[in-house]
Amino acid sequence: MKLTFLGGGNMASALIGGLLQRGFAAGDITVADPDDAARARLCQSYGVRCVGAPDELADGGDVLLLAVKPQQMREACAPLVGKLGAALVVSIAAGLDLAALARFLGGHRRIVRCMPNTPALIGAGITGLCALPEVDAAGRAAAEQILSAAGSTVWIDDEARMDSVTALSGSGPAYVFLFIEALQEAAAALGFTPEQGRQLAIGTVQGAAALAAHSNEPAAVLRQRVTSKGGTTEAALQVMAAAGVKEGIVAGVKAAEARGRELGKLLGGA
């Protein structure tokens, strides 16, 4: 499988590194990026072929991965219009829907839209994927194989739900980081050193997430098991409930989804 990356930023770098670890050959990967430093870094780190502009590419290879900023997508895709043949196109650009991507590519329809998140940078991401009807089972399998190099994947049948994926898992790491930040501030207020607070906060989040992942019980049940009546956990949760913590998180995710829809219309406008 010949892979071409349009854009060589952090997410593309994470995918390339993951793919090479899974046995992909560096010689089968080409990256087009205008930044000299980015090309030098990718060539040195991974041994992949790099070019400076999309018009230096003969075609999109078997799979073309769109990894440029959404605002730059139309211009970046223009040199490839008419060159893609039967190539599968996989976009990891936030906000751009399948219709806009197809339009930018001159009507090409073998497109998969993906929404990874930043833990993909260490191979621990979660990516939502959806595809146009023209993408067959082999194309879906190829897209999943590539994105699974950065973590786990979830197929979304209704593209309208991709804004929800963005709000939940795309933006989600920021919500978790905010919780870690709050735990560290609490640790400091209780007299712990910054390093102690960091260890305690991150270790707690990592452990709780691992426990939830290994359990078939709902998160609410796991929470209840930690919460003894009249105990310390109940005291904390009562204060958080009074402050509207849970409701605030749900409202925040809904706000992120709404903003995602707005940005999609702006970015993908004809």
Side-chain angles (χ1 to χ4, degrees), residues 140-165:
R140 290 168 69 97
E144 187 167 352
Q145 181 183 15
I146 293 166
L147 271 298
S148 65
S152 56
T153 58
V154 177
W155 281 98
I156 309 298
D157 293 331
D158 181 3
E159 188 185 5
R161 296 274 70 80
M162 288 298 286
D163 288 323
S164 302
V165 172

Side-chain angles (χ1 to χ4, degrees), residues 35 40 51-52 88 141 165 174 199 208 220 251 253-254 256 258 265:
D35 185 78
V51 298
L88 176 71
V165 172
Q199 285 184 275
V253 173
K254 290 180 178 179
K265 291 177 182 178

Side-chain angles (χ1 to χ4, degrees), residues 3 5 29 36 56 60 65 72 75 81 106 116-118 127 139 145 147 161 164 167 178 190 198 204 208 227 239 267:
L3 306 180
F5 283 80
I29 299 175
D36 293 341
E56 296 181 49
L65 288 105
Q72 302 169 340
E75 181 181 358
V81 171
N117 62 5
T118 54
T127 299
Q145 181 183 15
L147 271 298
R161 296 274 70 80
S164 302
L178 177 63
L190 293 171
R198 174 182 168 82
T204 298
T227 310
V239 171
L267 295 168

Side-chain angles (χ1 to χ4, degrees), residues 31-218:
V31 182
D33 194 291
D35 185 78
D36 293 341
R39 294 198 307 275
R41 173 177 50 80
L42 290 167
C43 290
Q44 182 177 5
S45 298
Y46 303 119
V48 297
R49 174 176 174 256
C50 294
V51 298
D55 53 14
E56 296 181 49
L57 299 168
D59 53 40
D62 298 315
V63 181
L64 171 66
L65 288 105
L66 304 179
V68 300
K69 293 180 180 179
Q71 302 92 321
Q72 302 169 340
M73 187 65 74
R74 187 194 301 266
E75 181 181 358
C77 287
L80 294 172
V81 171
K83 295 183 178 181
L84 295 176
L88 176 71
V89 176
V90 177
S91 171
I92 61 173
L96 288 173
D97 63 21
L98 291 164
L101 293 166
R103 188 168 63 251
F104 294 169
L105 292 167
H108 189 80
R109 299 277 299 173
R110 294 198 71 224
I111 305 174
V112 177
R113 174 185 173 188
C114 305
M115 182 65 239
N117 62 5
T118 54
L121 299 174
I122 58 168
I126 177 74
T127 299
L129 305 90
C130 66
L132 286 171
E134 288 80 358
V135 179
D136 58 13
R140 290 168 69 97
E144 187 167 352
Q145 181 183 15
I146 293 166
L147 271 298
S148 65
S152 56
T153 58
V154 177
W155 281 98
I156 309 298
D157 293 331
D158 181 3
E159 188 185 5
R161 296 274 70 80
M162 288 298 286
D163 288 323
S164 302
V165 172
T166 301
L168 284 167
S169 59
S171 300
Y175 316 150
V176 178
F177 297 149
L178 177 63
F179 183 65
I180 292 173
E181 180 183 354
L183 286 179
Q184 288 182 262
E185 287 187 15
L190 293 171
F192 291 100
T193 67
E195 182 55 34
Q196 288 172 329
R198 174 182 168 82
Q199 285 184 275
L200 289 166
I202 294 176
T204 298
V205 171
Q206 286 179 325
L211 179 59
H214 283 84
S215 174
N216 292 323
E217 299 285 358

